[in-house]
Amino acid sequence: MSKVKLAVFDMAGTTVQDHNEVEKCFFDAIKATNIDVSSEKINSMMGWSKILVFETIWKEAIGIDHPSYRDEVNKSYQLFCHTLENHYESVGAKPYDGVLDVFEFCRKHDIKIALTTGFYRKVTDIILQKLGWDKDLDKNYLCIDNTESNSINCSISSSDVTHGRPAPDMIKLAMQKFNISDSKSVINLGDTPSDLQSAHRANVLYSVGSLYGTHKENELMAYPHDQFIKEPKAYIDIIKQL
């Protein structure tokens, strides 16, 4: 019997296919507001709360005390939100091959499935609806009991917590929702440095980095982790061994 009670998964780049579309939405918003930011810089902040990305960019560009700082942040962020929502509304979303097999394995072994994301709630809901993963979730985005129709048990967005990644708040909220007090019964899978950092700060049992998402192994190696995987199904073998 696995000691794992809760499996936490990132969305874009981990369970939901991301072929750099989110990064492109960032660049479209940045370009429209005439600020120069490298692709490496944007990539390093993937997984963060999206408003924090723009706060960081503008803080480095003009300083937090600049009279236009907050206006510039809000303008860039609103452009990004508009672009991102339009993308998912028009293009939709697809899971990576094998993700649904991992979910099914977790359900069969009474392991709760929580999705966390740096997206805010509105775009998170669009993605869940496009995937059909919102079935049986209540108004608190929770489904305690496993049913035949639901894919996940919980959805948590960055706007549901005080601090998004790399803080551990979303993982801790997921634990709270399922009345899990021992972080050593929780595992986490994500494809960004901030996923690995948040898992480390939450003191989870096992932290896994996905190498099929937005980051390569050399970009993740410096961050605390237990293992990397190259396909979602490999997560099943990890759970079996814990």
Side-chain angles (χ1 to χ4, degrees):
M1 176 68 72
S2 173
K3 65 179 73 173
V4 179
K5 294 181 179 179
L6 172 64
V8 182
F9 300 84
D10 170 51
M11 290 183 69
T14 302
T15 53
V16 182
Q17 291 186 27
D18 178 12
H19 304 291
N20 295 314
E21 294 98 335
V22 177
E23 186 174 333
K24 183 180 183 301
C25 290
F26 271 118
F27 274 111
D28 287 346
I30 290 166
K31 184 178 180 181
T33 47
N34 299 313
I35 186 171
D36 185 28
V37 182
S38 70
S39 59
E40 291 79 13
K41 180 65 176 179
I42 294 297
N43 202 37
S44 72
M45 296 186 287
M46 296 298 288
W48 290 20
S49 164
K50 305 317 175 194
I51 187 67
L52 178 59
V53 172
F54 289 104
E55 288 174 340
T56 302
I57 289 170
W58 282 106
K59 179 180 179 180
E60 293 180 1
I62 63 176
I64 197 171
D65 295 323
H66 192 285
S68 299
Y69 168 75
R70 182 51 58 182
D71 287 341
E72 296 293 355
V73 168
N74 290 336
K75 183 167 66 173
S76 297
Y77 179 62
Q78 292 304 319
L79 283 167
F80 168 77
C81 291
H82 178 73
T83 304
L84 190 67
E85 290 164 20
N86 283 346
H87 167 75
Y88 283 113
E89 286 282 14
S90 60
V91 178
K94 295 179 180 180
Y96 284 104
D97 291 342
V99 165
L100 297 182
D101 296 306
V102 179
F103 286 176
E104 182 179 3
F105 176 85
C106 289
R107 288 196 301 272
K108 285 184 177 180
H109 291 81
D110 198 29
I111 298 170
K112 300 303 183 187
I113 300 165
L115 296 188
T116 60
T117 179
F119 291 142
Y120 52 97
R121 176 48 65 185
K122 183 177 179 180
V123 78
T124 302
D125 286 351
I126 293 171
I127 296 170
L128 291 175
Q129 189 274 325
K130 292 291 184 180
L131 292 167
W133 292 357
D134 57 341
K135 293 177 181 178
D136 296 334
L137 295 181
D138 63 20
K139 64 180 181 179
N140 295 313
Y141 300 94
L142 188 65
C143 177
I144 295 293
D145 299 318
N146 287 328
T147 67
E148 292 184 0
S149 61
N150 78 299
S151 294
I152 65 171
N153 298 104
C154 180
S155 164
I156 297 174
S157 74
S158 62
S159 50
D160 298 329
V161 295
T162 302
H163 303 290
R165 301 188 194 112
D169 294 27
M170 288 194 286
I171 296 174
K172 290 185 175 181
L173 179 57
M175 291 174 57
Q176 179 183 328
K177 285 180 178 290
F178 294 112
N179 295 314
I180 294 173
S181 58
D182 183 8
S183 63
K184 292 304 181 182
S185 63
V186 180
I187 58 176
N188 190 83
L189 174 63
D191 69 309
T192 67
S194 63
D195 287 307
L196 301 181
Q197 289 172 304
S198 65
H200 178 69
R201 293 174 185 179
N203 194 33
V204 301
L205 171 66
Y206 212 76
S207 173
V208 182
S210 90
L211 299 181
Y212 55 84
T214 59
H215 286 71
K216 297 180 176 64
E217 185 171 357
N218 67 305
E219 295 174 308
L220 296 176
M221 184 60 72
Y223 298 91
H225 64 279
D226 294 295
Q227 191 171 334
F228 292 132
I229 58 175
K230 295 181 178 179
E231 62 174 357
K233 278 190 176 181
Y235 208 45
I236 294 174
D237 291 331
I238 290 174
I239 297 173
K240 288 179 178 178
Q241 294 167 13
L242 294 175

